[in-house]
Amino acid sequence: MPGDSPRKAGRAVSGGHMFKTARMPGGVPLRRRLAILGGCAAIVPTLLPGAARAAEEAIALSTTDVIQLSLVVGVMGAALLSAVVLIRERARIAAENVELRGRVADLNAALQRSEALLNLRDQRVIVWSAENKKPELVGVLPVESGAPEDRAGFLAFGRWLMPRSAAALEHAIAALREKGIAFDLIVESQMGAPLEIHGRKSASHAIVRFVSLSEVERSNARLKIENQRLSADHEILLGLIDALKMPFWLRAADGRLRWVNRAYAEAVEAPNGEAAVREGKEFLGSQAREAIAVQHRSKPVFEQTLSTVIGGDRHMFSVTDFAAQDGSAGLACDVSVIEAMREDYDRTLRSHADTLDQLNTAVATFDADAKLRFFNQAFQKLWELDAAFLNSAPDNALLLDRLRAEGKVAEQPEWRRWKENLLSAYRAVEPQEHWWHLPDGRTLRVVANPQLKGGVTWVFENLTEKIDLESRYQTAVRVQGETLDNLAEGVAVFGPDGRLRLFNPAFAALWRLDPGSIKQNMHVSAIRDLCEANARNSPWPGFVAAITGFDEERHDRQGQAEIVDGTVLRYAVVHLPNGQVMLTFVDVTDSVNVERALKEKNEALLKADQLKNEFVQHVSYELRSPLTNIIGFTELLSLPATGPLAPKQREYVEHIGSSSSVLLTIVNDILDLATVDAGIMQLEISEVSVERTIAAAAELVSERLQEHAIRLEIDMTAAPQSFFGDETRIRQILYNLLSNAANYAPENSTVKLTCRRVAGGVEFSVHDDGPGMPPNVLETVFRRFESRVNGGRRRGAGLGLSIVKSFVELHGGTVRVETGENRGTTVICTFPDAPSGLREAAE
């Protein structure tokens, strides 16, 4: 009973019989207490007669006897009380036993009912204990479910369940046992039977129940499994579509976007598909969507190539859109690259056709049905066929028959077999080659090249000229051989293997070799040994390196070699095609002797020129000091402090001063030229003011211009403000040019000085209206000491333009003269904007 539960410590049922162990209050076992009570009950009957006799004798007993009697009476009372308690306890225990037997019977009945229910052939239970022992299996599933009855086979779910169901069940059981997560599943066996599985966990057990379903439940389960499969497939398809690089969209029945993939979102520049749907961003333009909607009214599938703009660039997309009752779905594939490739392919075909039209080799292409699809102009010209016939795509056999009928191909003994042999190229894999000898004497090499997609390309190569050229080539080779044998120049040709291919008798004669000692196919090393015995400075090691390929740089070269008898040979190493090398040798002994004599004379002339320059420089230095003294004393005589001079004396002094100044100028020019020739003159490069330099030069020559009433016109409208150069030398250049112009300009004329910027530099030009220069004078105008009057007022030393040319070239510039008879003369000097640095004298 519920109220008696503290008195019952435990129960166990086994085999339908009850075994109990009850405990009394205080913790004493029930069996022991029953034994004690039984002993007490046995003692009580033996004590009752003694007690009566003691009462009778109590009157005559003493105090000690009274005490003893009291003890006896007390013990007897306790025994009686114990007997009463024992009797009551036994009655209570008997009642509890009856109650416990009833409860055990109820439990046995419930157990038998549960076992009967579990042993039905429509379910099976797996129980795992908390101690992780092996699971217990209860119940059996029907045979048509496909579940094995043995324990190991049943627990191997992958053997009798579908893979997807087995995987889902394994994950669910693991979650149940490890985390206590309950589950309900519908699985499918490999026999196609659906099963319902429930997983639950209590405090100490994990239970998984497999239930076989009824027909209605099976139908529902199959629908549920199919729904799961369709859901999984739907997720897979959506995942695949989302991973595609092609925009994809789903639309509702009203045309609004329902779902798009990532490629669509990227194309419309949306962060993700949800944002693109939410914002209604369209991939195609309104006209394209309208065209799709119009076509859906007549048929559900729309397929067309449309253009749209993505990232600022227009792309071509192949759009496929399917419309159903509840909406539509579309896919766009970017075919911009394909369209570009198609256009390139078409252009390539046109270019190929245009290229073939330019060839002299006849080409014709037939398709798999042996119909003519392409021919170039050389093909039409070769067979002289009209374009209308060729453009009608004639059959290959018909074309051959026409060529035969017109007598353009040679008659064959067995025409049919010959034609079938040609047309077998349409069934061949490798190219075929034929030789046709035409009635007009031409020879054709005909190549039939099968195409991968069927058909044959025929190439008709006219080898008539080639055969003729080969014949003439053989004749030329024989002629060349005869020519080489009679040449005074020694020739030897070696192959890439280092062996002698060709030589003439002059080769052996020049190297003083016995003609019989050299033979064809002789290795260059053996020839080297023979020739080095007669050579003083042998070039043969270099020859061997060039012939055998050890010389990595295949450069033609020339040189000289000397033989022991004093003969000098000039050789040349010439690399020929196919790795061959030709050596040529010429006897230049006489030329070398003449060259040596000329070199000796040239060295003597150079030494004499050097002595001349040193003499001129020395004399110029020696002349400068006396001239300086003469000029100085002349200036002193002109001063009033030295005393008055007569008019005639003053005139003489002025002539002395002017002549001395002219002579000093000539000496200075000679010194400058000597410095230039010695290569020691350096320019002091700085920024040169154009206006200041021109003004200084004009001031130096102003007296000479005024003397002859010559006007100086300066044009600097297009001139730069400055450029880089040696200001002193540029002023000297302009002074010499103006002095030269003043010498040749007519009186009362104008000398024009122009400065302007040109590409990469500055140009100065000085023009005078003098008589101009004839061609013979123009050729020597820049030579030193070439002084000619040529209409000038006075004859100079002939150094002015030479100094101009030297100084301009030191700056890296150029000088040119534009002149002609009665056209005046213009000297033009061009300077670079910025010379690369200090330039030494030009050699």
Side-chain angles (χ1 to χ4, degrees):
M1 298 299 288
D4 298 332
S5 60
R7 296 179 177 269
K8 297 186 281 287
R11 292 186 295 270
V13 181
S14 177
H17 298 285
M18 178 182 68
F19 175 80
K20 67 176 183 290
T21 301
R23 290 183 176 272
M24 295 294 291
V28 181
L30 181 59
R31 287 185 176 181
R32 187 175 179 184
R33 299 191 65 178
L34 289 175
I36 295 172
L37 291 176
C40 293
I43 294 173
V44 172
T46 60
L47 293 178
L48 290 178
R53 288 193 301 269
E56 292 176 356
E57 296 176 358
I59 300 173
L61 294 179
S62 60
T63 305
T64 302
D65 294 335
V66 173
I67 295 172
Q68 292 177 349
L69 180 61
S70 299
L71 290 172
V72 170
V73 172
V75 171
M76 291 178 63
L80 290 173
L81 181 60
S82 298
V84 173
V85 172
L86 176 59
I87 294 169
R88 294 183 62 184
E89 188 67 23
R90 289 183 68 179
R92 189 182 60 79
I93 291 173
E96 287 182 358
N97 286 339
V98 172
E99 182 184 354
L100 290 175
R101 287 190 183 94
R103 294 183 64 182
V104 168
D106 294 339
L107 290 175
N108 284 333
L111 179 61
Q112 292 174 359
R113 286 194 304 273
S114 298
E115 288 181 349
L117 291 173
L118 290 175
N119 287 327
L120 292 176
R121 298 188 63 85
D122 62 350
Q123 62 182 347
R124 197 167 194 182
V125 180
I126 305 175
V127 181
W128 285 273
S129 63
E131 291 80 9
N132 292 324
K133 295 180 180 180
K134 292 184 178 180
E136 298 181 5
L137 274 69
V138 181
V140 179
L141 290 173
V143 178
E144 59 270 15
S145 66
E149 293 187 5
D150 62 293
R151 173 194 181 90
F154 185 82
L155 292 177
F157 303 125
R159 295 182 180 179
W160 60 279
L161 291 178
M162 296 298 290
R164 183 182 298 174
S165 299
L169 179 59
E170 293 285 354
H171 289 300
I173 291 176
L176 175 68
R177 297 186 62 189
E178 295 174 3
K179 301 179 182 179
I181 300 175
F183 66 88
D184 296 294
L185 291 177
I186 299 294
V187 299
E188 184 179 10
S189 69
Q190 294 184 359
M191 296 181 64
L195 297 174
E196 187 176 19
I197 303 177
H198 306 283
R200 300 293 185 271
K201 188 173 183 181
S202 64
S204 59
H205 296 83
I207 302 172
V208 176
R209 179 184 175 210
F210 293 76
V211 180
S212 178
L213 304 177
S214 63
E215 284 300 324
V216 176
E217 291 174 335
R218 287 183 183 179
S219 299
N220 293 334
R222 286 193 181 94
L223 291 175
K224 185 179 293 186
I225 292 173
E226 187 65 24
N227 181 58
Q228 293 176 355
R229 185 182 298 112
L230 290 176
S231 297
D233 293 343
H234 180 260
E235 293 296 327
I236 293 172
L237 287 176
L238 285 184
L240 173 63
I241 293 172
D242 195 46
L244 289 177
K245 299 300 182 182
M246 296 179 286
F248 178 87
W249 59 88
L250 288 174
R251 296 184 184 275
D254 56 359
R256 291 181 301 172
L257 290 173
R258 194 168 64 189
W259 185 85
V260 298
N261 63 351
R262 281 182 295 177
Y264 186 103
E266 292 174 359
V268 299
E269 299 180 354
N272 49 50
E274 291 78 4
V277 173
R278 184 174 60 255
E279 297 173 8
K281 291 190 174 182
E282 292 292 346
F283 173 74
L284 297 173
S286 58
Q287 293 183 352
R289 298 198 306 273
E290 176 111 0
I292 294 174
V294 170
Q295 187 164 342
H296 280 331
R297 296 170 187 168
S298 57
K299 57 182 181 179
V301 179
F302 173 87
E303 289 181 323
Q304 193 173 334
T305 300
L306 302 175
S307 65
T308 187
V309 177
I310 296 178
D313 297 327
R314 183 163 294 278
H315 292 255
M316 300 298 295
F317 284 87
S318 177
V319 178
T320 302
D321 196 280
F322 174 78
Q325 184 176 358
D326 297 331
S328 63
L331 180 68
C333 179
D334 192 348
V335 294
S336 302
V337 176
I338 297 176
E339 292 295 329
M341 291 178 64
R342 181 180 289 109
E343 293 178 0
D344 290 342
Y345 176 73
D346 293 339
R347 285 195 297 269
T348 302
L349 286 181
R350 291 193 296 271
S351 175
H352 180 67
D354 294 340
T355 302
L356 291 179
D357 276 338
Q358 302 302 319
L359 294 179
N360 293 325
T361 302
V363 179
T365 302
F366 293 81
D367 60 13
D369 297 329
K371 299 290 185 181
L372 180 62
R373 295 303 177 192
F374 171 79
F375 62 92
N376 63 351
Q377 295 180 2
F379 179 82
Q380 182 181 1
K381 182 179 179 181
L382 174 65
W383 301 115
E384 297 178 352
L385 298 172
D386 57 286
F389 171 73
L390 294 176
N391 291 327
S392 64
D395 186 82
N396 200 344
L398 178 62
L399 179 62
L400 292 175
D401 291 335
R402 178 163 179 174
L403 293 177
R404 177 194 180 191
E406 295 180 359
K408 295 178 180 178
V409 296
E411 190 65 37
Q412 303 297 326
E414 297 183 10
W415 173 260
R416 185 182 299 275
R417 181 176 297 179
W418 181 80
K419 184 170 67 173
E420 290 178 354
N421 182 39
L422 284 178
L423 298 180
S424 64
Y426 289 92
R427 302 183 298 275
V429 178
E430 298 295 332
Q432 297 181 359
E433 183 176 324
H434 307 276
W435 290 83
W436 291 6
H437 300 282
L438 303 184
D440 58 3
R442 292 180 296 175
T443 301
L444 300 182
R445 175 176 171 264
V446 181
V447 178
N449 186 23
Q451 302 297 318
L452 294 177
K453 296 182 179 180
V456 176
T457 297
W458 295 88
V459 179
F460 302 87
E461 185 178 3
N462 189 353
L463 299 181
T464 307
E465 294 183 2
K466 180 180 179 182
I467 295 173
D468 182 56
L469 287 174
E470 288 180 354
S471 175
R472 285 187 286 175
Y473 171 75
Q474 297 298 332
T475 303
V477 168
R478 290 193 296 270
V479 172
Q480 288 177 358
E482 295 294 332
T483 303
L484 285 176
D485 289 342
N486 292 280
L487 281 178
E489 182 178 2
V491 178
V493 178
F494 293 86
D497 56 355
R499 298 193 176 277
L500 185 62
R501 293 285 185 266
L502 177 67
F503 70 98
N504 63 349
F507 173 73
L510 289 174
W511 283 98
R512 308 299 187 261
L513 300 177
D514 183 6
S517 63
I518 302 178
K519 298 180 181 179
Q520 283 192 349
N521 292 325
M522 193 173 181
H523 198 268
V524 65
S525 58
I527 299 176
R528 175 196 60 189
D529 296 338
L530 294 174
C531 294
E532 284 185 340
N534 299 327
R536 287 183 179 175
N537 52 340
S538 176
W540 279 95
F543 296 165
V544 173
I547 293 169
T548 56
F550 288 100
D551 187 1
E552 296 181 358
E553 298 182 358
R554 288 177 55 87
H555 293 312
D556 297 344
R557 63 177 183 270
Q558 297 178 352
Q560 288 185 358
E562 187 173 354
I563 302 178
V564 291
D565 61 0
T567 303
V568 179
L569 300 180
R570 181 179 297 278
Y571 65 83
V573 180
V574 181
H575 292 272
L576 302 176
N578 300 325
Q580 300 186 53
V581 177
M582 180 177 69
L583 304 179
T584 61
F585 301 92
V586 181
D587 187 352
V588 293
T589 306
D590 296 336
S591 301
V592 170
N593 292 334
V594 173
E595 183 180 355
R596 288 172 181 171
L598 291 175
K599 284 184 178 179
E600 292 175 358
K601 291 184 178 180
N602 186 53
E603 289 176 357
L605 290 174
L606 290 175
K607 189 173 182 180
D609 186 63
Q610 183 178 359
L611 291 173
K612 181 203 71 173
N613 291 335
E614 291 176 355
F615 172 75
V616 170
Q617 186 175 4
H618 178 72
V619 170
S620 299
Y621 275 112
E622 292 298 328
L623 288 174
R624 176 177 286 185
S625 296
L627 282 174
T628 304
N629 293 333
I630 293 172
I631 293 172
F633 285 116
T634 302
E635 291 178 354
L636 287 175
L637 290 173
S638 301
L639 295 176
T642 58
L645 295 176
K648 204 67 175 177
Q649 292 174 336
R650 183 171 297 281
E651 181 180 355
Y652 292 156
V653 168
E654 291 177 354
H655 281 298
I656 293 172
S658 60
S659 299
S660 300
S661 298
V662 171
L663 183 57
L664 182 60
T665 301
I666 294 173
V667 170
N668 288 334
D669 291 343
I670 292 173
L671 286 175
D672 288 339
L673 290 175
T675 306
V676 171
D677 292 338
I680 60 176
M681 176 172 283
Q682 293 183 349
L683 299 177
E684 296 181 1
I685 303 299
S686 62
E687 188 173 3
V688 179
S689 172
V690 174
E691 183 178 359
R692 183 177 66 246
T693 303
I694 292 176
E699 183 179 356
L700 291 174
V701 78
S702 60
E703 291 184 0
R704 292 187 61 182
L705 295 175
Q706 292 175 3
E707 182 181 353
H708 302 287
I710 298 173
R711 296 182 300 279
L712 176 62
E713 179 183 344
I714 299 175
D715 183 6
M716 293 191 300
T717 56
Q721 292 184 355
S722 63
F723 68 101
F724 285 90
D726 189 331
E727 185 172 355
T728 301
R729 300 304 176 187
I730 293 172
R731 182 170 62 248
Q732 189 174 352
I733 291 168
L734 296 179
Y735 169 75
N736 286 345
L737 292 177
L738 291 173
S739 298
N740 189 68
N743 189 36
Y744 289 96
E747 293 188 357
N748 297 315
S749 64
T750 301
V751 173
K752 185 175 183 181
L753 171 60
T754 304
C755 178
R756 63 191 184 94
R757 176 174 292 282
V758 294
V762 179
E763 181 182 277
F764 291 91
S765 64
V766 176
H767 174 78
D768 65 78
D769 295 327
M773 300 182 190
N776 60 334
V777 175
L778 185 61
E779 293 177 357
T780 61
V781 69
F782 292 112
R783 292 181 186 176
R784 300 175 186 178
F785 304 106
E786 291 287 342
S787 178
R788 291 181 175 85
V789 178
N790 192 32
R793 295 182 177 84
R794 58 184 177 182
R795 186 185 184 96
L799 297 177
L801 291 181
S802 299
I803 291 177
V804 168
K805 186 173 186 300
S806 298
F807 287 171
V808 172
E809 290 179 350
L810 278 176
H811 281 81
T814 59
V815 181
R816 71 180 189 274
V817 178
E818 296 178 356
T819 185
E821 293 187 8
N822 301 320
R823 289 197 299 112
T825 301
T826 303
V827 182
I828 302 171
C829 301
T830 304
F831 297 89
D833 276 332
S836 57
L838 297 177
R839 295 178 179 270
E840 294 185 352
E843 296 182 358

